[in-house]
Amino acid sequence: MAFIQAVLDGLMIGGVYAVISIGLTLVFGVMGIVNFAQAEFLTLGMFVAYFAWKFLGLDPLIGSFLSFAVIFALGVVVQMTLIQRVLNAPPVAQIFVTVGLLIVIENLTLITFGSDFHSVTTSYQTSTLRIGPLFIGVPYLAAFLMALLSAAALWLFTNKTWYGRAMRATAQDPMAANLMGINADRMRQIAFGLGVGMTAFGGAVILPYFTVHPTVGHQFVVLMFTVVVLGGLGSVAGAVVGGFAVGVIQSVSTLFFPIQLQNLVLFIVFLTVLAVRPTGLIGASR
C-alpha cells in the first residue's frame, strides 16, 4: 500500500511538473530557442498570485488565471523587444540573452520584493481527502486538477482554433506559413506568451503548499529541463509524460532511499533512459 500511496503522490506533483514544463517545450517547439529564464517567469507568476491573495483576497487557484494573463502579456513584450532580435543569431547569442534575462528578472524581484519568504493561508491548506487506505492532500489535488485543466485548454487551443493551427504551422515551416498568409512573428509572440504564461500558471497553483521568494525558480529549473529532455524536447506530449515520470520517480525513490537522494535516483534513471533513447520517451519534435 505504501507503494501505491507513493505513486499517487508522485502523480499529484507530476501533473504540476508537466504544466510548468510544457511552457519550456512550447517555446522551443515553435521558436527553436531554449529559454533559460523560464523558471523566473514561474517566480513572477507566484508573486502575482501572492499579491492577488494579499491585496484582492483571491484564492491562489483563482489568482492563477490572473498570473497567466499578466505573464502572458509580459512574455509577448519580452518576445517582441528581446527574443525576436536573436531568433536568427548563433545559438550562443540566444543562450546569453536568455541567461541575461534570468539574471535581470531575479535581481529585479529581489530589489522589488526583498529576500523574505512569503506564503498564503487558505481554508483547505491542511485538509486531506481519504480514499480507502490512501490519502491525498487537498492542496496537491487542487493543483493537480488545475494543471489538468490548463493542459486540456492548451490542447484545445492548439488543435481546435485557427491561431493554434497557425502556431503549429509556424513551428513546422515559418516560410511556408508566411506564404499562406500567417504572420509568423505574431505566432511566435503568442507561443512565447503562452509558454511563460503556462509556467506562471503552474507556479501559482502550488502556492497553497509552497513559499515564494525571488530565487524559488532555482528549485524548479533543473526539474523543468529534466522533464522536457526526458519526454522529448519540443514535444508537448513528451512534457506531460516526462512530468508524470519525474514526479513518480521522485516519490517512489523515497521508499527505498533517503529523501536527500531522490534527485540522484532521478538523474540515474534520466541518464539511463537517454542512453537507450536519446530523443526522449516520446521523441523530440525538432
Side-chain angles (χ1 to χ4, degrees), residues 13-68:
I13 191 64
V16 176
Y17 287 166
V19 167
I20 65 176
S21 303
I22 281 174
L24 178 62
T25 204
L26 184 65
V27 169
F28 178 81
V30 176
M31 301 172 59
I33 283 184
V34 178
N35 181 19
F36 287 93
Q38 191 77 18
E40 304 313 308
F41 290 98
L42 179 144
T43 302
L44 293 177
M46 293 182 76
F47 269 113
V48 171
Y50 169 74
F51 286 114
W53 169 81
K54 184 175 181 180
F55 295 114
L56 303 178
L58 292 180
D59 185 283
L61 298 180
I62 304 300
S64 61
F65 294 99
L66 179 61
S67 293
F68 173 82

Side-chain angles (χ1 to χ4, degrees), residues 12 16-17 19 37 39 43 64 75 97 112 142 144 146 169-170 191 196-197 231 235:
M12 292 297 103
V16 176
Y17 287 166
V19 167
T43 302
S64 61
V97 165
T112 305
F144 174 77
M146 293 293 284
T170 301
V196 297
S235 169

Side-chain angles (χ1 to χ4, degrees), residues 24 38 52 66 68 72 77 84 113 118 126 128 140 159 194 197 245 269 277 280 285:
L24 178 62
Q38 191 77 18
L66 179 61
F68 173 82
F72 173 87
V77 173
Q84 179 67 29
F113 306 126
H118 305 279
T126 58
T128 303
Y140 289 87
N159 289 277
L194 278 176
V269 175
R277 189 175 174 82
S285 72

Side-chain angles (χ1 to χ4, degrees), residues 92-155:
V92 66
Q94 299 172 355
I95 292 172
F96 281 136
V97 165
T98 57
V99 171
L101 182 62
L102 179 158
I103 295 170
V104 169
I105 293 176
E106 183 177 305
N107 282 275
L108 282 178
T109 54
L110 185 61
I111 293 170
T112 305
F113 306 126
S115 59
D116 294 336
F117 286 61
H118 305 279
S119 60
V120 303
T121 302
T122 63
S123 59
Y124 53 86
Q125 201 158 31
T126 58
S127 300
T128 303
L129 180 65
R130 180 170 183 174
I131 307 175
L134 302 176
F135 296 88
I136 304 176
V138 172
Y140 289 87
L141 178 60
F144 174 77
L145 294 176
M146 293 293 284
L148 288 185
L149 175 65
S150 62
L154 179 65
W155 183 88

